[in-house]
């Protein structure tokens, strides 16, 4: 009898062990599936990855494709009183001032000539340079207010597409093309470049970068990847010996969340004063509080989350708001991603542009099809 009880007890013990083992193995399998699925980051995870410090921030502006925009803007018709609604903002005014101060030091400091100067170098790093179809005359009503004679008929549209396989100096493995593209208009007699539609290789690589990828994003970039380098090569090829005469750089249809956040902050002052004149005033009085969003009525919504609830773009026709060098507005706009590209173009070409400086930055809006209001920036260089 005692032996029978021991056998039953042993059987029960073995059953309990078997149940425990089954539960343990099942848990391991579920954890493995969870780990496997998390190796492919969601869009939210990817959006919050830190950008490597030495990568120039991807700057999308120009014509928009909602399917590839991370920081997209939902368009509305201004004629219906809805304008354009911004879905994300990250850069604060104080942060922009700090970055802008650093950029001003670069402009006043020692300059080093960029080693990228020929179309051949672009081709070697996977770029295809080709003419583009004629673009609309975006700024016909503005040219008459600028120095010299600027005619749209003198302009040449060039598209640079980074869609060829390449290897770089960091990773000796062929990489597929990134599909980065820079579409710009070059007007040599008018001394003008217009940024029409620009998405850097870094922008697209960030969209597909895996969280557990052993190769950092910065090491995957082609050796020539920045807007300032690619656009300068195209400009200097067209302009030849007169490349250093560059005077005006327009950025059409600005959509980058960081840049739009600073534009909206600066416009808070004009909303309160009721003045959209080209006065160059940039006193802090009347500006929105830091991190706060202004809605279409000009009042402070108190929303510092960057949600879809605000702000909206209201028309700010030429002459818009102009911020000369020495003003806080100038410094803050210089600290945006768009300002950074201009700084690098200037400081990277002292041979062609010795002593060249950035005199002012102007914010204004234009209307696209069906009354869509878009932001524009004009960077005016010295000389």
């Amino acid at each position: 009898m005692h032996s029978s009880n021991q056998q039953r007890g042993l059987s029960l013990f073995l059953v309990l062990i078997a149940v425990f083992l089954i539960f343990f193995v099942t848990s391991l399998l579920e954890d493995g599936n969870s780990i496997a699925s998390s190796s492919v980051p969601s869009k939210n995870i990817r959006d919050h990855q830190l950008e490597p410090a030495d990568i120039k921030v991807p700057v999308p502006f120009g014509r928009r494709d909602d399917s590839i925009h991370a920081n997209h803007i939902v368009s509305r018709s201004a004629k219906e009183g809805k304008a354009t609604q911004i879905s994300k903002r990250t850069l604060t005014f104080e942060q922009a001032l700090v970055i802008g101060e650093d950029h001003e030091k670069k402009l006043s400091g020692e300059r080093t000539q960029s080693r990228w100067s020929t179309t051949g170098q672009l081709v070697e790093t996977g770029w295809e340079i080709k003419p583009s179809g004629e673009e609309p005359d975006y700024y016909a009503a503005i040219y008459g207010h600028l120095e010299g004679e600027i005619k749209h008929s003198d302009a040449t549209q060039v598209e640079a597409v980074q869609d060829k396989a390449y290897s770089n100096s960091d990773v000796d493995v062929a990489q597929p093309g990134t599909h980065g593209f820079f579409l710009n208009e070059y007007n040599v007699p008018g001394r003008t470049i217009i940024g029409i539609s620009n998405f850097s290789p870094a922008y697209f690589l960030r969209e597909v970068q895996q969280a557990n990828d052993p190769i950092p994003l910065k090491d995957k970039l082609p050796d020539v990847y920045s807007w300032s380098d690619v656009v300068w090569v195209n400009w200097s090829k067209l302009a030849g010996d007169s490349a250093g005469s560059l005077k005006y750089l327009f950025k059409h249809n600005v959509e980058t969340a960081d840049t739009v956040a600073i534009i909206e902050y600066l416009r808070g002052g004009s909303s309160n004063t009721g003045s959209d004149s080209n006065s160059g005033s940039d006193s802090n009085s009347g500006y929105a509080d830091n991190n706060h969003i202004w809605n279409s009525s000009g009042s402070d919504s108190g929303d510092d989350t960057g949600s879809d609830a605000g702000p909206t773009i209201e028309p700010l026709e030429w002459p818009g708001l102009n911020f000369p060098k020495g003003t806080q507005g100038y410094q803050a706009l210089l600290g945006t991603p768009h300002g950074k590209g201009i700084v690098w173009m200037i400081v990277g070409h002292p041979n062609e542009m010795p002593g060249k400086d950035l005199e002012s930055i102007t914010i204004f809006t234009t209307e696209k099809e069906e009354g869509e209001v878009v932001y524009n920036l004009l960077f005016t260089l010295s000389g």
Side-chain angles (χ1 to χ4, degrees), residues 332-358:
L333 290 167
L334 200 63
T336 65
H338 289 80
K340 185 175 186 178
I342 304 298
V343 171
W344 281 107
M345 179 176 284
I346 295 173
V347 303
H349 302 93
N351 293 348
E352 300 88 349
M353 296 191 290
K356 183 75 76 172
D357 200 1
L358 178 61

Side-chain angles (χ1 to χ4, degrees), residues 135-191:
E135 292 290 322
D137 191 354
Y138 296 110
Y139 305 123
I142 295 172
Y143 290 149
H145 301 279
L146 305 179
E147 291 182 16
E149 185 178 7
I150 306 175
K151 296 186 295 184
H152 182 62
S153 58
D154 290 331
T156 301
Q157 293 78 29
V158 178
E159 184 175 291
V161 185
Q162 208 284 321
D163 60 356
K164 307 296 183 185
Y166 66 96
S167 57
N168 60 30
S169 53
D170 294 306
V171 181
D172 190 22
V173 178
Q175 303 281 342
T178 63
H179 304 296
F181 65 92
F182 298 136
L183 172 60
N184 294 267
E185 181 172 290
Y186 305 87
N187 192 321
V188 176
R191 303 187 296 162

